[in-house]
Amino acid sequence: MRNLFNFIIRNSHWLLAALLVAFSFYLVFTHNSYQRSVYLTSANQVTGWFYSLSRDVTSFFHLKKNNQLLLERSAELEKQILALKDRINILTAVDSSEVNAFVSDSVPMPQFGYIPAEVVNLSFSGVNNFITISKGSQHGIKPDMGVISTGGVVGVVSVVSPNFSVVIPVINPKFRLSARLKNSENYGSVSWDGTSIGEAQLQELPKHEDFHKGDTVMTSFSRIFPRNTIIGFVSSEGQSKDDNFNTFNIQLATNFYTLQDVLVIDDTYYEEQKQLEETLQE
C-alpha cells in the first residue's frame, strides 16, 4: 500500500494532467453538438469494427464444424441422387405398352451409401502415394471401399484400423479402374504412369475410338464405384504400348494438392457380388 501511495505522490502531476484532459474532452463533447456527433460516429465505427472482427474469429473456429455438416449433407444428397437415377432407369425401362399402374411409386433403396471423412495425411513421395483418412472400422469402413471427393474419384481403401484408413489413390501405380469416355460404350482402364500428380492415363481403348480434348472420363464396370462417376477429362493423346489401342492422358477431376474431405462409398451389395463371383474360382 505504501508503494502505491509513493507512486501516486511521485506521479501526481501526470495524473492531474490526465484528469484535466479527460475533463476537458468531457466538456467539449457534452456542450458542442458537432464534436459530440463526430465522437459518436467514430465510436460506432470502432465498435462495428470490433464486432466484425469478433464475428470473423467466431466463424473461423466454427469453420471445421460447418464443413463437416456440409460434407454429411453432400453424402446424403449423393445417396438421394443415385436413388432417383435408379428410379428413372426403372421407369424408362418399362415398355410403353405395359400398364404403369403396376410400377411401384416408392423410391427403391439405393445400392450405395456414403461415409464422410477428413484427410489427415497425404503422402506424395515418389510413386508409393497414399492418403490417410479420419474414419476406420468402427465407423463402417472396410478394405476395398471406393473413395470419392466432390470432384471425382479419389482411390480405394487399402488398410483399416479402428479410427483410421489408408487409401490407395488414383496416383499410385497399384491403382486400376475400368473406365470409358462419356459418349462411348467402349471401355478401357485408368492407371497412373508416375509422371504427374494431376494427370493419369486411360488405356486399352479401341484404335477407332473418337475423342476430343475435354471429353469426360467416367467409371464403367466396377464393384466399388457407382457407374458413371467422373474420373477426369481428356487432355491429350498419350503413348500407347499396343498399336491396336489408344491411350489418352486425362486431367484428374480430384485436385490432390487441396484435398481435405472425402466420401467413402458403402456398397450394400458388395459382399453378395464378391461371394458369388468367387464361387467360380473354387
Side-chain angles (χ1 to χ4, degrees), residues 262-276:
V262 296
L263 298 174
V264 182
I265 301 172
D266 183 11
D267 183 357
T268 57
Y269 298 156
Y270 176 78
E271 290 297 332
E272 177 184 347
Q273 181 181 350
K274 179 181 178 181
Q275 292 176 9
L276 180 63

Side-chain angles (χ1 to χ4, degrees), residues 87-106:
R87 175 66 175 167
I88 292 172
N89 290 335
I90 291 174
L91 292 176
T92 54
V94 176
D95 191 88
S96 59
S97 62
E98 294 183 8
V99 181
N100 288 332
F102 291 101
V103 180
S104 174
D105 289 332
S106 61

Side-chain angles (χ1 to χ4, degrees), residues 142-201:
K142 300 177 183 178
D144 295 331
M145 281 185 168
V147 182
I148 62 173
S149 67
T150 54
V153 170
V154 172
V156 178
V157 175
S158 176
V159 184
V160 177
S161 71
N163 296 295
F164 298 96
S165 300
V166 174
V167 177
I168 299 297
V170 178
I171 49 173
N172 187 307
K174 299 177 183 178
F175 183 93
R176 294 186 73 86
L177 179 63
S178 178
R180 65 181 181 88
L181 297 178
K182 182 177 181 180
N183 298 317
S184 172
E185 292 303 320
N186 296 315
Y187 62 91
S189 63
V190 168
S191 59
W192 186 59
D193 65 3
T195 303
S196 171
I197 288 180
E199 195 173 68
Q201 286 65 47

Side-chain angles (χ1 to χ4, degrees), residues 16 18 35 52 60 67 83 141 145 164 176 188 193 197 204 225 260 271:
L16 179 60
Q35 283 81 357
S52 178
F60 175 79
N67 192 51
I141 309 292
M145 281 185 168
F164 298 96
R176 294 186 73 86
D193 65 3
I197 288 180
E204 302 168 4
F225 290 100
Q260 295 182 353
E271 290 297 332

Side-chain angles (χ1 to χ4, degrees), residues 38-132:
V38 171
Y39 164 74
L40 292 175
T41 301
S42 301
N44 287 337
Q45 290 179 345
V46 173
T47 303
W49 181 80
F50 274 110
Y51 278 133
S52 178
L53 179 62
S54 175
R55 184 183 66 249
D56 292 341
V57 171
T58 302
S59 298
F60 175 79
F61 284 109
H62 284 84
L63 184 61
K64 184 175 182 180
K65 180 180 179 180
N66 293 337
N67 192 51
Q68 181 66 23
L69 292 175
L70 287 174
L71 190 63
E72 292 175 358
R73 180 60 176 163
S74 177
E76 184 62 28
L77 289 175
E78 287 282 354
K79 184 177 179 179
Q80 293 177 11
I81 289 171
L82 285 176
L84 290 174
K85 285 182 178 179
D86 290 341
R87 175 66 175 167
I88 292 172
N89 290 335
I90 291 174
L91 292 176
T92 54
V94 176
D95 191 88
S96 59
S97 62
E98 294 183 8
V99 181
N100 288 332
F102 291 101
V103 180
S104 174
D105 289 332
S106 61
V107 177
M109 182 66 66
Q111 177 180 354
F112 299 98
Y114 296 88
I115 304 171
E118 296 179 16
V119 173
V120 296
N121 187 29
L122 292 166
S123 176
F124 299 150
S125 57
V127 294
N128 190 29
N129 301 322
F130 66 87
I131 300 170
T132 305

